[in-house]
Amino acid sequence: MARSAKAERERLRETWIKAGKSMTEVAGLMGQHFGVRPRTAWRYAAGWDQWKLVQQYRTANPDARIDESRISRWESWPFGGSRPSLEALAGLALTLGHGCTLADLVDDTDRQHLSAAEKAVITATSAPGSKGMIVSDSRSTTTSPAQEGENEVHRREMLRLLSVVSAAVLLPAGPQSVAAAAPIGEFSRFNTHLWQVYALTPAKADVLPLVRRQLAVLSNGLNRSPGPADRQQLCALAGDLFQLAGEIYFDADAYTDAAHCYHLAAQASREAGAHDQWACALTRHAYLSVYEKKFTDALPVLELAAAVAARGDSELSTRHWVSAVQGEVYAGLSDLNACRHALDHAQEVAGLTSTIHNGGWLRFDGSRLPEERGTCYVTLGRPDLAETALTEALQHATSTRRRNSVLADLAIVGAQRRDLDQVLVHADAALAHAQGSSSAMITRKLLTLRPHLAPLMSDPRARELADRLTALTAA
């Protein structure tokens, strides 16, 4: 009697797993043996039919609305069916687990139907040592009334989730559940993926739906009364996500929401006993005051961050990052000596020899210190010191935001020297970068140039530049 296709798949799956094959290898063998696409191959490797995948997807992604017909359409695409969004693929990867990434779920045929930006990010996340879930490259800065209403709904849902998760973090632990332990490793890997997404996508707000879904997953884990060790790790993961959410809101100029996220991040990290993560949350909270020029408000928060960081891992760069931000505060308070002292302490990060950051809530490696020195010297009104540091920084600025920041500061240096030609060279380059970005941070940085143009306004070129800067606020 002929064996059914399902029975044959299960027999081969058990054989390969017993032979020590990884789930990635099993999926590859399923694809080769049965001639199926990667999304179907991974489902076969998991031993699931479409109904089972739907149930698992709903468990891993509590807010998702999905049925078997949608799974079928995703698996059929691009030969019929319907294209799964990159967020949906990220949900599939989370559901399947076993180290599955978005890059595992698409093949060369799928890539032919993706945009250049999407393919570039997928290529980056599939490089050795890099695993990432990605979202689309949305560059449009216009928003319709309907979209604004939808964004507000998402914002309210995000705030609800923040409240739910923070309550679960702060409530005393109840009796330990006999339910299966939470897959902490999978949660941790997905958090790492989200930070990679945030770093790679120009439109930071696109990452928020993924963060919101992951918060719902962590909330579910915390509400299942985990054991003390798991609860501590879940609190740390929640603090990690709160910081990422704060970064996204900060990039969008939503300072109040960002401050709320950083406050919750500090609470969750403290509950987890994660001192470095806690110190970074405090530092980010202080940075809001730095951006709003409320330097006296930032100083005591940074002093607390430094004290917490001193109790953390001495091999990490946390305390050096705190010092770098303190340098900016002292510059804002017109204290050149204190500023130099803080930046010199931050420079000691070069003496660390192990893995000094995690690429997520802690990313400080000292590479941006020339840029930060330059910004401090601009704030102090010392163009002689600023230009040397900024010129060095421009050579190493790789991201659009960093390059724009340096160019804006160099334009301010030109204004401080009353050199309009220098102002225009750097301002034109910075404006060109701003036109290709939806980041409010880039716009905000460019607008800091406008008041420095006042002494040059007798020249029509300066007035034209001021008008172009003003137009950024109306875009």
Side-chain angles (χ1 to χ4, degrees), residues 12-13 16-33 41-42 44-46 98-100 104:
L12 290 172
R13 176 177 178 273
W16 291 328
I17 289 175
K18 287 179 180 178
K21 301 291 185 184
S22 69
M23 197 59 68
T24 301
E25 291 172 323
V26 172
L29 290 168
M30 286 288 186
Q32 294 170 16
H33 190 85
W42 267 89
Y44 286 178
H98 297 284
C100 180
D104 292 325

Side-chain angles (χ1 to χ4, degrees), residues 47 103 133-134 139 143 147 167 223 284 297 299 357 373 414 425 439:
M133 307 299 177
I134 68 169
R139 293 177 177 270
T143 307
Q147 288 173 318
N223 288 330
R284 285 189 165 90
D297 292 343
L299 200 54
H357 63 84
R373 280 187 185 275
V425 166
S439 172

Side-chain angles (χ1 to χ4, degrees), residues 70-82:
R70 179 157 314 170
I71 294 293
S72 179
R73 292 196 299 272
W74 287 351
E75 292 183 353
S76 299
W77 180 82
F79 302 109
S82 59

Side-chain angles (χ1 to χ4, degrees), residues 109-129:
T109 302
D110 295 324
R111 291 168 189 256
Q112 293 174 13
H113 299 269
L114 301 175
S115 70
E118 289 169 335
K119 286 186 284 189
V121 178
I122 288 176
T123 299
T125 58
S126 61

